[in-house]
Amino acid sequence: MSSCYCYSVWLRHLCMLHEHGLPTDFETVAELGPGDSLGAGLAALLCGAERYIALDAVRYADRATNLRVFDELVELFRNRAPIPDQREFPRVQPPLRSYAFPSDLLTPARLEAALSPDRVGRIRAALAALGTDRRDGPICYHAPWTADMIDDASVDLVFSQGVLQFVEDIPAAYAAMARWLRPDGVMSHEVTFQSIGITTEWNGHWACSEPLWKLAVGNRRHATNRVPHSAYVSLLQDMGWRILTEVRVERSSGIDRSQLACPYRHLSDRDLSTSSSLLQSMRQTASPPQFARAAVAKAT
């Protein structure tokens, strides 16, 4: 629920898009799994986006807290605050080359227009009406969501931070995003490949048999799908997406290869050491969803 965290997350996605020659000026932005805070999407609006669509499995967002986050975000952008770095948020990925405010990207003219008092007031009023289930206006919040809640070819960017690892049907999620995005639309997803505290070692989930994993997960609402990095890459490629950004964060494996459970013994050393990755992509061609499902089955 920290405005600085949301500011850091959004600007990391935006800076990485800019660094790799991808679009950074969006009319409509959708976020998967914002959780308690809509702050990253609100930051997108404060950078000039006209519409933000938040999609979650459960209605977590609190209106009063998000209004506080919004007001703090406005001040961060008006002050051109530096991007909070690894010292403040050591677990936030991806790393950036520079954490200075991206003035070359968010120019004075762009910020002046995006942060005009009238515009900020309209966004804040829409946030104050959160929970009315409106599908128009600058903010739409759907929880739980279904794919048909967003019109085809109506979104410029879909992004998420540490969310896709909890999605069980990755092909269906990617197929939905492909439908929503305009032909030149972009996906930007930071995915974590860790057990999120369920096992002692960060990648110990790949050492668990299926019965043991179900026992360890218990009644948790969210647990990692145990899909490795290479499967996400293969899926995107087989669906006809061009990966333009692939930033992997590596850690020493916490388990020996001999400890891997049977379904994961084929994992490469690269997969075993990849703790998170940022994948940013644009669509090249359209592929039927059944090919995407085959790609995930092959990779996992």
Side-chain angles (χ1 to χ4, degrees), residues 150-171:
I150 300 180
D151 293 336
D152 292 356
S154 63
V155 175
D156 302 290
L157 169 71
V158 183
F159 78 99
S160 68
Q161 183 76 13
V163 170
L164 285 188
Q165 69 269 15
F166 300 122
V167 175
E168 287 299 325
D169 195 341
I170 298 294

Side-chain angles (χ1 to χ4, degrees), residues 26-48:
F26 309 107
E27 180 180 336
T28 300
V29 171
E31 181 183 9
L32 293 181
D36 292 341
S37 174
L38 307 182
L42 298 175
L45 292 173
L46 293 173
C47 288

Side-chain angles (χ1 to χ4, degrees), residues 40-85:
L42 298 175
L45 292 173
L46 293 173
C47 288
E50 294 296 329
R51 190 165 181 246
Y52 165 54
I53 304 171
L55 304 166
D56 222 331
V58 177
R59 187 171 288 268
Y60 293 114
D62 173 74
R63 177 167 44 194
T65 306
N66 276 289
L67 284 168
R68 173 186 59 78
V69 169
F70 176 76
D71 292 338
E72 292 171 357
L73 284 168
V74 171
E75 292 308 307
L76 287 168
F77 280 108
R78 283 181 173 159
N79 293 330
R80 274 70 166 172
I83 302 170
D85 59 17

Side-chain angles (χ1 to χ4, degrees), residues 45-46 59 65 77 81 97 111 118 136 138 152 186 204 236 258 279 287:
L45 292 173
L46 293 173
R59 187 171 288 268
T65 306
F77 280 108
R97 294 183 181 179
L111 279 184
D118 286 348
D136 58 350
D152 292 356
V186 178
L236 286 170
S258 62
L279 293 172
S287 286

Side-chain angles (χ1 to χ4, degrees), residues 154-222:
S154 63
V155 175
D156 302 290
L157 169 71
V158 183
F159 78 99
S160 68
Q161 183 76 13
V163 170
L164 285 188
Q165 69 269 15
F166 300 122
V167 175
E168 287 299 325
D169 195 341
I170 298 294
Y174 274 145
M177 289 184 270
R179 279 180 43 202
W180 302 336
L181 285 167
R182 296 187 171 104
D184 57 349
V186 178
M187 290 195 297
S188 182
H189 299 291
E190 175 69 22
V191 187
T192 299
F193 307 100
Q194 303 178 37
S195 69
I196 323 293
I198 295 180
T199 63
T200 302
E201 302 295 346
W202 71 268
N203 59 353
H205 51 294
W206 287 319
C208 296
S209 65
E210 191 61 28
L212 178 59
W213 180 246
K214 288 182 178 179
L215 182 64
V217 168
N219 293 323
R220 287 177 174 85
R221 185 186 299 276
H222 304 298

